[in-house]
Amino acid sequence: MSRRSTRCYSNRRAAGLTLVELMVAITIGLIITAAVTQIYVASRTTYTLEEGLARVQENGRFAVEFLAYDLRMAGYTGCNSKLPATSINNIVAGANESSTMMTGGLRGYRYSGSGGNTVGDWTPSLPAGFFANGEVTPYTDVIVVQYGSPIDTTLTGNMGTNNANIQITTTAATRMGIQDDDVLMVADCVNADIFRANNVSSGSGTTTISHPMSVNTSVNLSKSYTTDAQLMKLVSHAYYIAPSADSQQPALFRKELARTGPPVPVELVQGIEDMRLVYAEDTDSDGVPDIYRAPGSVVNWINVIGVRMGVLARTPAVTAGQDANPYELAGITVPAKNDNFRRHAFNTTIQFRN
């Protein structure tokens, strides 16, 4: 092969892409990249939506379970959970709604204002023992649940006379975690006394729980209880909707009776946007609800035997498409929010165990 032939052959092999070929290759690459990007965005959007809906289901279920547990115990004071207010003696110094057993152990509050959030914007007004102005999200219900949480023990000493202390078995005190400044209740089938423990001290086989004048209005209970009386911790919880402290997402909160100071707010579940409740009143004492009433319409709270409850949960983040649907919560129509969150309503009816 001649040198000239070899040179021509080498030039042909070294020839690159033409401009047209390069543009075609770039176009094909862009099309493939756009398709892959579209698939990724669609997958990511679907994943975000499904994850949000899963969170909605989880959060709604948790919210219902928290409320249902307390509601089933509402008003429990031992063997007679229909004790009228006149049979419950409270000697806690500075007692208010959070440290006093309300009749029936239950109170409901419905928003009746026009956008404000003072305690007077609910009917009836929110209890000052739990709330200050501005704490609760408007257009949502509030409920307070109270009951005695039983301590597996019996009284073993200082029962014969009215005294500044009672005695129980040491093992019971240790197991149930009774501490100084706990608000306790001692009750039989006729009466109940609520007092604050000042000192819990263990001795030989017994624990002495003192309730002196320093933390109570009297050293004496209303009667001399016997071994058939129950000792309980007073549980006093207020459930409400408020913005989460860290994310400003709506959340279900619970205020709990504190050993000292005002009730303590605890954030339970984020994403709970609304809560509505109606109350089953048994007007003829046959154990069957005769009418469901709004909180401000209940005639006698001691006759309430159940609650119809609805909570509205929403996704943590916005999604494509507008939510223009109204929702039914406990039979109440909640107007459409008209935003880009997704929501689900959870409704249930809780019957009290008492």
Side-chain angles (χ1 to χ4, degrees):
M1 183 181 292
S2 67
R3 290 184 179 181
R4 183 173 180 173
S5 299
T6 303
R7 191 162 49 247
C8 292
Y9 178 76
S10 300
N11 289 341
R12 284 198 300 270
R13 292 194 57 182
L17 296 173
T18 66
L19 179 61
V20 173
E21 291 173 328
L22 183 61
M23 292 180 65
V24 170
I26 291 174
T27 302
I28 293 173
L30 289 174
I31 292 172
I32 294 173
T33 302
V36 171
T37 302
Q38 185 66 29
I39 292 171
Y40 170 78
V41 170
S43 299
R44 180 66 181 175
T45 301
T46 301
Y47 172 79
T48 301
L49 176 60
E50 290 179 350
E51 183 184 40
L53 293 175
R55 287 282 299 275
V56 165
Q57 292 291 331
E58 184 179 82
N59 291 346
R61 180 171 57 85
F62 278 135
V64 169
E65 288 182 356
F66 274 121
L67 283 157
Y69 178 84
D70 271 359
L71 286 170
R72 291 191 181 101
M73 290 294 293
Y76 182 77
T77 55
C79 58
N80 185 354
S81 290
K82 292 289 186 180
L83 288 178
T86 53
S87 298
I88 301 177
N89 178 52
N90 191 320
I91 61 172
V92 175
N96 54 39
E97 295 94 340
S98 66
S99 56
T100 301
M101 176 74 82
M102 301 176 180
T103 304
L106 188 74
R107 285 294 183 277
Y109 308 86
R110 175 152 299 166
Y111 187 80
S112 55
S114 56
N117 59 353
T118 67
V119 294
D121 285 311
W122 275 258
T123 300
S125 296
L126 296 180
F130 279 102
F131 297 103
N133 292 334
E135 289 191 272
V136 184
T137 298
Y139 304 102
T140 62
D141 283 7
V142 174
I143 187 170
V144 173
V145 185
Q146 297 174 311
Y147 57 89
S149 179
I151 298 172
D152 186 18
T153 186
T154 56
L155 304 186
T156 59
N158 298 340
M159 299 176 293
T161 59
N162 295 338
N163 204 319
N165 61 69
I166 59 173
Q167 290 183 335
I168 60 172
T169 60
T170 299
T171 54
T174 302
R175 183 171 61 251
M176 300 308 297
I178 301 174
Q179 300 180 40
D180 295 355
D181 296 316
D182 275 342
V183 177
L184 303 175
M185 175 191 302
V186 59
D188 55 19
C189 298
V190 181
N191 298 92
D193 277 84
I194 298 173
F195 61 90
R196 188 181 295 278
N198 175 251
N199 182 265
V200 181
S201 57
S202 297
S204 178
T206 63
T207 292
T208 300
I209 303 172
S210 66
H211 46 86
M213 286 282 290
S214 59
V215 292
N216 295 284
T217 59
S218 171
V219 298
N220 296 329
L221 305 180
S222 63
K223 63 184 291 185
S224 296
Y225 289 91
T226 59
T227 55
D228 63 347
Q230 279 188 283
L231 181 65
M232 295 170 275
K233 282 187 178 182
L234 179 64
V235 175
S236 192
H237 289 159
Y239 288 91
Y240 61 103
I241 307 297
S244 172
D246 57 350
S247 67
Q248 293 303 301
Q249 286 267 346
L252 177 66
F253 280 78
R254 181 173 71 193
K255 281 203 171 184
E256 303 177 351
L257 178 63
R259 291 190 175 90
T260 58
V264 178
V266 177
E267 183 178 324
L268 298 178
V269 187
Q270 286 193 12
I272 304 302
E273 190 173 47
D274 203 347
M275 176 175 66
R276 304 296 173 95
L277 306 104
V278 293
Y279 301 86
E281 194 169 358
D282 176 16
T283 59
D284 54 10
S285 301
D286 63 353
V288 179
D290 298 298
I291 188 170
Y292 282 86
R293 300 185 190 271
S297 302
V298 173
V299 176
N300 189 348
W301 285 98
I302 207 168
N303 291 334
V304 174
I305 61 174
V307 173
R308 184 179 292 160
M309 173 180 64
V311 296
L312 186 63
R314 82 177 194 190
T315 53
V318 296
T319 60
Q322 189 178 62
D323 183 9
N325 301 315
Y327 291 90
E328 292 287 325
L329 298 179
I332 301 166
T333 300
V334 176
K337 305 296 183 179
N338 294 316
D339 58 21
N340 296 99
F341 291 96
R342 287 289 177 266
R343 296 172 173 83
H344 187 76
F346 297 83
N347 289 281
T348 188
T349 300
I350 306 299
Q351 183 177 2
F352 301 163
R353 290 175 176 165
N354 304 314

